[in-house]
Amino acid sequence: WFFYKNLYNERMKKIISTFVILGTVFLIGCTKTTSDFSENFTTQPSDSRVFTQGIFVKNNQIFLSSGAPNYLSGTHSSVGTLDKNGIFEPKFSLNPNIFFGEWITELNGKIYFVTWKNQKWFILEAQNFEKIGEFNYKNKEWWGLASDGEKIFMSDGTEKITIFDEN
């Protein structure tokens, strides 16, 4: 009886110890807060003359679109690239007195550039930024533009997502 009693106690100690260790690991894992992810962010310099509206990255190149508020002289309403020093290189520009550039996205080798109040889309060849088309689309606001490689998804700040299929 003594042998079984000691064996039982030793076994229970191992089981309890295992649960204590696993419970401690679980509780430590549960204490990670969202603020712990701040170390995942870095900053890169960007051109102070650019009122950035849209951004995407393709082949390690940062593409930006910018608007030109009337009260900020020297700003662009354009699409371009950001070099490694954070300098914006405009490749396609609109008249800032007429158009306020908003979002951009890329789909099938084309850059889609949306303007705000005019609600006009410009289609650019991604290789050389040459304008290859344009069209109007009425939308309440522009809050986001993204592509999944097959379609373009737009948000107007409401509960609706509008999907554009170029086919």
Side-chain angles (χ1 to χ4, degrees):
W1 169 250
F2 178 75
F3 174 74
Y4 289 112
K5 186 177 178 184
N6 282 341
L7 182 62
Y8 176 78
N9 286 340
E10 289 301 313
R11 219 166 163 201
M12 285 306 291
K13 284 181 190 176
K14 287 182 182 180
I15 290 171
I16 291 170
S17 296
T18 301
F19 278 114
V20 168
I21 291 169
L22 289 175
T24 303
V25 169
F26 175 76
L27 290 174
I28 289 170
C30 289
T31 60
K32 188 164 183 159
T33 64
T34 56
S35 64
D36 293 332
F37 293 102
S38 63
E39 63 201 33
N40 297 346
F41 292 91
T42 59
T43 58
Q44 175 177 327
S46 186
D47 198 322
S48 62
R49 299 168 300 141
V50 178
F51 197 75
T52 302
Q53 295 294 311
I55 186 170
F56 72 87
V57 177
K58 181 92 177 199
N59 299 326
N60 293 318
Q61 177 66 62
I62 298 173
F63 293 80
L64 293 179
S65 62
S66 65
N70 294 339
Y71 58 88
L72 290 177
S73 63
T75 58
H76 306 271
S77 195
S78 48
V79 174
T81 57
L82 199 63
D83 74 11
K84 64 182 177 181
N85 297 314
I87 303 300
F88 180 67
E89 298 174 22
K91 307 286 187 178
F92 174 81
S93 295
L94 298 170
N95 182 336
N97 295 318
I98 299 171
F99 296 104
F100 188 97
E102 282 278 342
W103 296 95
I104 56 170
T105 194
E106 188 271 342
L107 180 64
N108 297 326
K110 295 175 224 147
I111 296 173
Y112 289 84
F113 181 32
V114 177
T115 64
W116 178 29
K117 292 181 180 179
N118 304 79
Q119 299 184 340
K120 185 176 286 280
W121 289 56
F122 292 91
I123 306 168
L124 312 175
E125 186 66 48
Q127 296 281 35
N128 58 19
F129 295 87
E130 180 183 323
K131 182 178 134 187
I132 56 175
E134 64 180 69
F135 62 93
N136 291 320
Y137 180 78
K138 299 277 184 225
N139 206 26
K140 181 179 177 183
E141 295 266 347
W142 299 105
W143 286 94
L145 194 66
S147 170
D148 68 352
E150 294 180 16
K151 295 179 178 80
I152 294 175
F153 299 84
M154 303 172 284
S155 167
D156 64 3
T158 68
E159 73 284 357
K160 297 176 187 161
I161 302 293
T162 303
I163 301 170
F164 170 72
D165 187 344
E166 68 177 358
N167 298 318

